[in-house]
Amino acid sequence: MGEERVGLVLAGGGARGAYEVGALSVLLPALEAAGQRPSVLVGTSVGAINIAYFAANAHLGTADAVAGGIDLWRSLRWEQVLAPLLAPSTALRELSYIGGVLGVPGVQLKALLDTTPLTETVQRVIDFAQLHRNVEAGRVYATAVVATSAATSESVLFVEGGTLPPEDVGAGLDYVATRLSDEHVRASMAIPALFPAVHVSQPARAQGWYLDGGARLNAPVRPALSLGVDRLVVIGLNAIAQTPHTLASDEPPDAFTGAAALLEGALADSLLQDVRALARVNQMLGDRRDEVRAADGWRYRRIPFIYVAPALRQEIDQLAERVFAEYYEGRDALRSVDLALLVRLIGGRAGHGALLSYLFFAPEFAAALIELGRSHAQHWLATHTGPDGPWQLDSADPIH
């Protein structure tokens, strides 16, 4: 059991990333106690910064690593990720938008928000030199983050360590060996339209501009399998269970409701399909322990997995609305002028919890998400107690 290689996949979802740390605060100590600490770490978007953090702290015990991750998220604020909405840089972006509409030569809107503070934050919270040492020492077999090429719209996996898989043409996925840096992590987090694209300078063959990895590959399950894992832990930030709802509504959606719907669909649907596919392969292989090669060249093996995600589709949306109402509404708006302005810009709190939750960088929301992640992970461990412990094989909908 100790020789098996365990993978960890963390999905994207903006400020929702605190949920992942909460879930891992329960799962990682249990896995370490069983000799199953993950050594293949793969993340997309906010999952990339969480993955890089845990890779950089792999030399610590999980209790210390998790405690640091929780402290990180509980101290994270808007101004550590985004420039103030009333800052001159934001005004210039608005002028760029107007200039672009009017056809002013040389004027181009690159993004709605200014992520300049994010560069310093990533460099401060991730010790990349220690990450390199952990990979070199074998504490981490491979660490990888996913970004989307702005030129080709293909997914690029920047990988440090491990054995590099060949290009996956069918999936529109390529692998690039590199020493990870803040550029790669920030590129993975560059939410299209909201955040500006990030230029990656190394390695030379992959030099260029990149956008959020979640644009095409929000939950990189397939790449983790390609890197050679025997077991897989997946933490999702978008639920795949649907709450009771009517088929449609007579209320016309505004632009922000539409944007949230696109984000939710793109981020949740791919994860659902990947995890269901993993379960179907396990069912197909039955008790076979060997590797089966398919006609398309893909090699299939039984992969026990743990999958933790929000239970209901609007669970995090409603949590964002409740936390905002408690801490940032009315007379408390001065607690964060930027968050108050954000809610005004997206047309009020009610009904826009999904979009709010992606940009709600605030300690109170992070603390609530951490507790939610912890409770969901605890529920998984309490309800999956078979001969193989918490590992699942063949559920079509492996949610708690």
Side-chain angles (χ1 to χ4, degrees):
M1 188 70 69
E3 297 179 358
E4 289 186 318
R5 188 176 295 148
V6 179
L8 172 63
V9 168
L10 299 184
R16 299 178 178 210
Y19 175 96
E20 294 174 338
V21 175
L24 292 175
S25 72
V26 172
L27 294 177
L28 289 183
L31 294 175
E32 184 177 57
Q36 297 172 328
R37 183 167 177 168
S39 62
V40 175
L41 313 179
V42 187
T44 295
S45 195
V46 73
I49 192 170
N50 283 336
I51 280 293
Y53 168 81
F54 281 106
N57 287 274
H59 59 294
L60 303 177
T62 57
D64 290 334
V66 164
I70 289 175
D71 288 344
L72 187 164
W73 274 98
R74 284 183 170 167
S75 64
L76 195 63
R77 289 172 168 76
W78 173 286
E79 57 268 23
Q80 295 171 321
V81 180
L82 299 163
L85 290 176
L86 295 179
S89 60
T90 305
L92 287 174
R93 288 172 187 275
E94 294 171 355
L95 290 173
S96 295
Y97 173 75
I98 296 171
V101 171
L102 296 177
V104 177
V107 174
Q108 182 183 28
L109 179 66
K110 296 180 179 179
L112 294 175
L113 300 172
D114 181 356
T115 57
T116 299
L118 183 61
T119 300
E120 187 279 331
T121 297
V122 173
Q123 293 173 347
R124 174 176 54 83
V125 302
I126 308 298
D127 185 345
F128 285 97
Q130 184 62 55
L131 186 156
H132 304 325
R133 289 192 291 270
N134 287 340
V135 173
E136 291 164 359
R139 302 184 188 100
V140 176
Y141 175 73
T143 302
V145 300
V146 184
T148 303
S149 168
T152 67
S153 297
E154 293 189 347
S155 298
V156 177
L157 205 79
F158 293 102
V159 186
E160 179 165 351
T163 300
L164 204 68
E167 180 181 3
D168 192 338
V169 178
L173 171 63
D174 204 353
Y175 297 85
V176 176
T178 189
R179 285 169 67 86
L180 291 175
S181 71
D182 68 284
E183 287 182 348
H184 305 104
V185 172
R186 290 186 293 108
S188 184
M189 299 174 66
I191 303 173
L194 294 178
F195 294 1
V198 173
H199 187 268
V200 170
S201 58
Q202 296 294 331
R205 87 170 184 92
Q207 184 176 7
W209 293 92
Y210 290 86
L211 296 164
D212 195 307
R216 286 196 72 255
L217 192 61
N218 190 52
V221 171
R222 188 173 175 118
L225 298 178
S226 296
L227 287 167
V229 301
D230 302 297
R231 295 174 181 267
L232 192 61
V233 180
V234 181
I235 310 296
L237 297 176
N238 297 76
I240 62 175
Q242 300 294 312
T243 53
H245 64 283
T246 57
L247 186 62
S249 170
D250 287 329
E251 290 293 325
D254 59 24
F256 297 104
T257 301
L262 285 174
L263 277 172
E264 292 275 279
L267 299 184
D269 290 348
S270 62
L271 177 59
L272 167 61
Q273 297 306 320
D274 284 348
V275 177
R276 281 181 171 172
L278 187 61
R280 285 196 300 271
V281 169
N282 287 339
Q283 290 175 325
M284 177 184 69
L285 295 178
D287 293 331
R288 291 190 61 162
R289 300 283 179 173
D290 59 329
E291 189 175 77
V292 176
R293 185 172 184 134
D296 60 2
W298 184 259
R299 293 179 172 86
Y300 293 95
R301 294 176 294 121
R302 279 178 18 125
I303 305 291
F305 60 87
I306 294 171
Y307 175 45
V308 175
L312 300 174
R313 185 171 63 88
Q314 297 179 337
E315 191 167 10
I316 288 184
D317 308 356
Q318 294 169 354
L319 180 64
E321 292 182 356
R322 289 197 302 271
V323 172
F324 184 87
E326 182 176 355
Y327 293 100
Y328 292 93
E329 219 170 34
R331 287 180 297 180
D332 293 325
L334 292 179
R335 186 188 294 263
S336 174
V337 174
D338 293 299
L339 287 171
L341 281 173
L342 173 68
V343 169
R344 293 295 297 273
L345 287 172
I346 63 177
R349 173 176 54 82
H352 289 123
L355 193 56
L356 170 64
S357 70
Y358 287 98
L359 297 172
F360 197 174
F361 293 100
E364 299 85 0
F365 185 48
L369 284 171
I370 288 167
E371 290 309 309
L372 186 66
R374 285 182 56 82
S375 67
H376 289 173
Q378 288 166 347
H379 186 77
W380 178 279
L381 293 182
T383 55
H384 294 77
T385 56
D388 199 20
W391 299 97
Q392 178 86 340
L393 272 174
D394 57 4
S395 172
D397 290 297
I399 61 172
H400 47 84

